[in-house]
Amino acid sequence: MYKVLVVEDDVMMSDMLSMYLTEEGYDVKQAFDGKQGLQLIDQFMPHLLLLDLMLPDMNGIVLCSEVRERSTIPIMILSMRSEVSERVSALKAGADDYLSKPFSMHELTARVEALIRRSIHMTTRMEESSSLQVEDDDTIMLDHERRQLIVRGESIETTFSEYEIMKLFITSPNKVFSRDELISAIRGFDSFVTDRSIDVHIVNLRKKIEQNPKEPKLIKTVWGFGYKYSPNDAATK
């Protein structure tokens, strides 16, 4: 049974989410402020976090950042705010999805299922191609169990979406991926994501794997189309 932690200070909304997800077969726990949410993440070890942005003791964006520092679990933001700037801020803080209130419970459960499914799914193909030489003495690897990148011997935390993008890149080095292909790979047909979201994830990945993010040699922009991962080019420079 998959576990979901709901961090929402509106008791009625929290109870409704908990009841609906429980009926869908999830093990659900509730927290009504940020401090309690952080405690339950360590105790409950959920497969997914549903996080409201408006909490009584801290800003939800701040909490999202703190969670991402200690965990790679998928984070879905639930908020009354629908501005693009709010969504971008949430993605930069480590969120994997953003759902504006009011929303359909059917859509919510579809997104929850998609995020958890992708979070726990590891294919044989990915395992066989989990490392590629980047430089003569450097290797980028995927740590499947912890869902981390191993970059030049160091463990690097990633968001759910960043990890999925990197898996795709490593599986198909030097292939040019359109933004639509990357959107499809990390979200599925019914989750919110935009071209701008992909660009944010790429910027964050470059900061984590490139020696000089301002002059990327690994994740390259193909202008007017998308991105490609070129480890062999980096090794020769």
Side-chain angles (χ1 to χ4, degrees):
M1 180 181 293
Y2 297 127
K3 298 181 288 186
V4 177
L5 174 61
V6 178
V7 182
E8 165 69 69
D9 67 324
D10 184 326
V11 176
M12 184 177 297
M13 172 63 76
S14 182
D15 287 346
M16 182 173 62
L17 290 169
S18 179
M19 180 180 66
Y20 194 88
L21 290 170
T22 298
E23 290 177 352
E24 292 293 316
Y26 294 98
D27 182 7
V28 183
K29 286 194 181 297
Q30 299 166 268
F32 299 100
D33 58 43
K35 181 179 179 180
Q36 185 182 18
L38 289 172
Q39 292 174 343
L40 282 175
I41 286 173
D42 294 332
Q43 298 169 7
F44 185 47
M45 299 182 65
H47 294 92
L48 181 137
L49 171 63
L50 293 181
L51 175 60
D52 181 34
L53 286 184
M54 304 297 291
L55 298 172
D57 60 340
M58 68 173 65
N59 184 291
I61 295 294
V62 174
L63 178 58
C64 182
S65 297
E66 290 193 21
V67 171
R68 185 53 68 222
E69 288 178 359
R70 67 174 69 185
S71 174
T72 60
I73 63 171
I75 301 173
M76 183 188 295
I77 299 294
L78 306 177
S79 177
M80 293 292 294
R81 300 173 178 173
S82 59
E83 297 88 351
V84 172
S85 60
E86 290 293 334
R87 291 171 172 168
V88 171
S89 294
L91 288 171
K92 287 183 175 179
D96 299 289
D97 204 352
Y98 191 108
L99 194 57
S100 298
K101 300 175 183 177
F103 49 79
S104 159
M105 285 295 180
H106 179 71
E107 180 181 8
L108 173 73
T109 54
R111 294 190 183 202
V112 166
E113 180 183 352
L115 284 173
I116 292 178
R117 181 176 65 245
R118 286 171 173 79
S119 179
I120 65 172
H121 180 68
M122 291 183 289
T123 64
T124 301
R125 184 182 180 189
M126 294 302 179
E127 292 175 352
E128 291 176 348
S129 60
S130 61
S131 67
L132 286 175
Q133 291 298 319
V134 178
E135 296 182 356
D136 291 341
D137 59 349
D138 292 337
T139 301
I140 287 186
M141 302 178 64
L142 298 178
D143 184 333
H144 294 291
E145 292 185 0
R146 297 177 177 83
R147 292 184 62 82
Q148 294 178 337
L149 297 181
I150 309 299
V151 181
R152 287 176 280 279
E154 296 185 6
S155 296
I156 305 297
E157 297 284 351
T158 65
T159 67
F160 168 80
S161 297
E162 290 166 3
Y163 186 86
E164 292 300 311
I165 290 173
M166 205 63 213
K167 281 204 303 185
L168 195 64
F169 282 158
I170 286 179
T171 302
S172 302
N174 300 307
K175 175 182 176 180
V176 179
F177 289 95
S178 69
R179 288 177 174 81
D180 286 342
E181 287 177 307
L182 295 176
I183 287 171
S184 177
I186 68 173
R187 283 292 182 266
F189 65 89
D190 67 346
S191 292
F192 171 83
V193 69
T194 66
D195 287 358
R196 174 57 177 153
S197 305
I198 294 297
D199 293 340
V200 170
H201 292 316
I202 294 296
V203 168
N204 289 338
L205 272 173
R206 282 172 170 164
K207 291 178 180 177
K208 294 176 180 180
I209 73 170
E210 299 279 1
Q211 295 201 40
N212 183 359
K214 295 182 178 179
E215 297 181 3
K217 295 180 179 179
L218 295 172
I219 301 177
K220 298 182 177 180
T221 300
V222 180
W223 297 107
F225 191 79
Y227 300 95
K228 69 175 181 178
Y229 176 65
S230 302
N232 295 330
D233 291 349
T236 60
K237 296 185 178 181

